Amino acid sequence: MEKYSPPLAILGRTTLLFLLFFSPLSALGSFSSSSDLRILSAEKRVDLTSSIVRVYLTLKVENLGTSHASEFLLAFSPTEAEHLAIIKASSVEGKRKKKAYTLSVSSTDLVDTPNGARLFSVSLISPLKTGDTASIEVLYVLTNLLEPFPAEISQAESQLVFYRDSAILLSPYHVVEQMMYVRTPTNKIESFTRVNPTDRAGTELKYGHFHDQPPYSFSPIIIHFENNNPFAVIEELVREVEISHWGSLQMKEYYKLKHAGARHKGVFSRLEYQARPSVNGASSFKQLLAKLPPRVHSVYYRDEIGNISSSHLRTDYSQSELEIEPRYPLFGGWKATFVIGYSLPLEDFVFESPAGQHYLNLSFGCPLIETQVDSLTIKVMLPEGSKSPRAAVPFSADHHLEKTYSYLDVVGRTTVVIRKMNVVPEHNIPFQVYYNFSPVFMLAEPLMLITAYFMLFSACIAYLHTDLSLVKT
Ligand SMILES: *[C@@H]1O[C@H](CO)[C@@H](O)[C@H](O)[C@H]1NC(C)=O
Ligand SMILES: *[C@@H]1O[C@H](CO)[C@@H](O)[C@H](O)[C@H]1NC(C)=O
């Protein structure tokens, strides 16, 4: 493999800026307060096997200062910060158990950083004493970062994408020793930047070891590789959750799906596609899998035309899987809109809190596996007569209240609307909506029906006993 030197024209403006800004070993560690810590060893693993980029860091941090350190800073390039969907961190103590990312991470407003690096702060549960070391694991997820190149491909072509990063960990601290591993989906790597040392074995690229890098060091790399995994992006998802204390949770999910990979060019031949879909449609996708809760029922899947029968539901005690298939395979740039509806047993999702409030406990995010959602809205319609609603979402999200009216509603349903941009599978964690509800309100609708019937009945009787004829006899 040759050293990769792409013509600047194809790299685009952002990269150019990037390269100008981040010349190797550019900045000097003059940034305040951070100098008390240093990273003894850093391992960075980049997973490029999907359309969503996941980066795992294992850092060993040492406190050289004279006081305790209660936070630790992570640095991101401006481009990374723009595409960042989520950051999770955990401290590793003793033997490695199941990974639970329990440390809180928050964005800082420190702006005076070299090259405009954006800093995030990880709060340590127990402050790091002078001279002590701690191991920290970080996972961060980036979306819309892989850039298809060529940007347009025909039906039979494979999709190639660019990934840009730094071979040297961008950090506000001095890094004693470090290593970076990049995993690609297949071993078809068109080209990659070589720095000294770089190594390649099958689907893995290795950068490093690098020793004694000063703070804010950076060494840009570009990897151009094959990635035919579904670039399934939900541009907009609206999930409506209707709570009925008569026993069920009605779910309705409106999807606007797009293939966000290299745009399809030329004509689409269904004949060729059907003959050999893996060759004549390598970059396209057809099926999608939705993970739904175990006791789901009354499932339907429809688009503008009507109900789609090509969906399969498999259910077991721990989960249900709904396999759906749009009416046509999706190629780059193509879109599909559809609705999935289902019902869930109320007792699995609505509980009573110790304080006597009711609360909904449901998974956030999108049920479709390995898809990103650009804009997610969850509307929780509480039963009529609910009071003091409150949403508890484990990450920053906008929320506000609305009123929704469905038939037979008199005062309308208080609806808690939660919105979040750039949602990835890592956001599929439970959230809660608390509310006060008196079961007396459950009688409102039946009473209304009875009253209505009674009035109709009375009207009929009255009608039968009234002489409405115009002709005087
Ligand atoms: C689609 O399925 C749902 C649920 O099974 C049903 O209520 C609806 O009437 C169906 N619509 C059409 C057009 O068949
Ligand atoms: C919500 O449900 C999850 C499991 O689905 C459970 O682990 C969690 O404790 C529940 N949260 C509350 C507040 O009940």
Side-chain angles (χ1 to χ4, degrees):
M1 206 43 75
E2 279 299 295
K3 175 173 161 57
Y4 186 58
S5 55
L8 286 176
I10 61 168
L11 287 179
R13 245 177 53 222
T14 38
T15 323
L16 205 61
L17 279 174
F18 220 66
L19 293 175
L20 286 179
F21 267 112
F22 294 106
S23 47
L25 310 185
S26 52
L28 293 167
S30 58
F31 195 67
S32 65
S33 80
S34 55
S35 50
D36 286 353
L37 295 178
R38 70 168 177 174
I39 297 175
L40 289 177
S41 68
E43 184 191 281
K44 176 170 174 179
R45 290 187 178 268
V46 183
D47 182 355
L48 300 180
T49 58
S50 138
S51 61
I52 300 172
V53 175
R54 291 187 174 81
V55 183
Y56 300 86
L57 298 177
T58 308
L59 307 169
K60 197 167 177 200
V61 188
E62 185 182 22
N63 186 1
L64 298 173
T66 48
S67 54
H68 291 1
S70 55
E71 62 161 22
F72 170 80
L73 296 173
L74 296 168
F76 294 91
S77 70
T79 312
E80 280 178 326
E82 203 181 299
H83 294 270
L84 201 55
I86 196 168
I87 313 176
K88 295 181 168 197
S90 68
S91 57
V92 191
E93 273 139 23
K95 277 230 184 77
R96 224 177 251 236
K97 277 174 261 146
K98 224 181 101 210
K99 245 182 227 147
Y101 291 99
T102 49
L103 299 182
S104 76
V105 183
S106 55
S107 135
T108 67
D109 38 21
L110 300 170
V111 282
D112 248 355
T113 52
N115 300 323
R118 288 276 310 278
L119 297 180
F120 286 76
S121 158
V122 178
S123 304
L124 301 174
I125 291 174
S126 44
L128 195 58
K129 295 195 200 85
T130 304
D132 274 6
T133 61
S135 288
I136 296 170
E137 288 193 356
V138 178
L139 160 64
Y140 60 90
V141 182
L142 303 156
T143 55
N144 299 323
L145 189 69
L146 298 179
E147 184 199 332
F149 187 85
E152 283 192 1
I153 55 174
S154 61
Q155 184 174 346
E157 278 181 282
S158 197
Q159 177 172 270
L160 299 171
V161 297
F162 278 133
Y163 174 70
R164 304 183 175 88
D165 201 344
S166 166
I168 295 170
L169 182 75
L170 183 66
S171 171
Y173 308 115
H174 181 103
V175 185
V176 179
E177 190 177 11
Q178 59 176 304
M179 188 73 202
M180 170 168 162
Y181 303 87
V182 182
R183 181 164 294 278
T184 55
T186 65
N187 55 22
K188 193 169 164 204
I189 301 177
E190 288 287 296
S191 56
F192 58 96
T193 312
R194 277 180 188 279
V195 293
N196 189 23
T198 304
D199 196 12
R200 184 193 164 179
T203 58
E204 190 173 72
L205 289 172
K206 288 182 201 163
Y207 287 97
H209 293 82
F210 302 109
H211 303 278
D212 285 318
Q213 297 297 324
Y216 295 105
S217 298
F218 197 89
S219 165
I221 53 164
I222 299 178
I223 302 167
H224 192 201
F225 63 101
E226 179 185 61
N227 189 341
N228 283 320
N229 289 313
F231 272 51
V233 173
I234 315 286
E235 294 185 300
E236 192 184 346
L237 168 60
V238 179
R239 299 178 72 192
E240 285 180 3
V241 186
E242 192 175 337
I243 302 175
S244 159
H245 276 251
W246 290 99
S248 72
L249 216 61
Q250 304 287 341
M251 307 287 298
K252 237 186 198 177
E253 301 175 339
Y254 301 85
Y255 290 85
K256 280 191 186 149
L257 171 71
K258 184 185 176 183
H259 185 312
R263 277 189 310 282
H264 176 70
K265 75 171 177 207
V267 285
F268 166 62
S269 158
R270 190 174 274 274
L271 211 63
E272 278 174 29
Y273 176 81
Q274 272 162 350
R276 289 170 76 197
S278 60
V279 179
N280 296 310
S283 68
S284 70
F285 59 87
K286 203 168 175 207
Q287 273 110 0
L288 291 167
L289 196 65
K291 288 227 156 93
L292 302 177
R295 300 204 290 155
V296 62
H297 62 94
S298 315
V299 180
Y300 62 90
Y301 162 50
R302 64 178 161 76
D303 62 7
E304 309 88 355
I305 307 173
N307 283 349
I308 307 176
S309 52
S310 58
S311 64
H312 307 277
L313 182 69
R314 284 183 297 269
T315 317
D316 67 30
Y317 66 94
S318 64
Q319 66 170 22
S320 304
E321 282 185 344
L322 177 68
E323 198 181 87
I324 61 169
E325 199 176 312
R327 288 177 201 269
Y328 44 87
L330 283 163
F331 282 85
W334 294 13
K335 298 183 182 193
T337 55
F338 55 88
V339 180
I340 299 176
Y342 49 96
S343 298
L344 298 169
L346 188 74
E347 65 267 29
D348 291 359
F349 299 93
V350 174
F351 308 94
E352 215 169 306
S353 74
Q357 272 194 312
H358 287 278
Y359 70 93
L360 168 77
N361 184 21
L362 195 69
S363 177
F364 199 83
C366 169
L368 295 183
I369 61 163
E370 207 47 15
T371 43
Q372 95 193 41
V373 182
D374 288 343
S375 159
L376 169 68
T377 307
I378 302 184
K379 295 186 177 183
V380 179
M381 296 176 219
L382 301 174
E384 240 195 331
S386 299
K387 297 251 165 21
S388 15
R390 176 173 66 85
V393 184
F395 29 75
S396 71
D398 296 332
H399 31 88
H400 67 270
L401 295 178
E402 271 176 20
K403 277 264 183 228
T404 330
Y405 293 88
S406 61
Y407 50 98
L408 289 183
D409 282 357
V410 190
V411 290
R413 291 164 193 267
T414 302
T415 303
V416 179
V417 183
I418 304 168
R419 288 199 69 199
K420 185 159 180 66
M421 311 303 274
N422 206 0
V423 173
V424 290
E426 279 71 14
H427 286 113
N428 292 7
I429 42 184
F431 75 100
Q432 293 82 32
V433 174
Y434 292 83
Y435 58 96
N436 288 331
F437 176 71
S438 153
V440 170
F441 279 99
M442 289 173 69
L443 296 176
E445 282 174 9
L447 278 177
M448 256 173 58
L449 280 179
I450 292 167
T451 318
Y453 275 120
F454 180 75
M455 279 164 63
L456 185 69
F457 183 71
S458 318
C460 285
I461 302 249
Y463 174 75
L464 289 174
H465 286 82
T466 321
D467 188 359
L468 292 176
S469 53
L470 293 173
V471 188
K472 285 253 156 120
T473 48

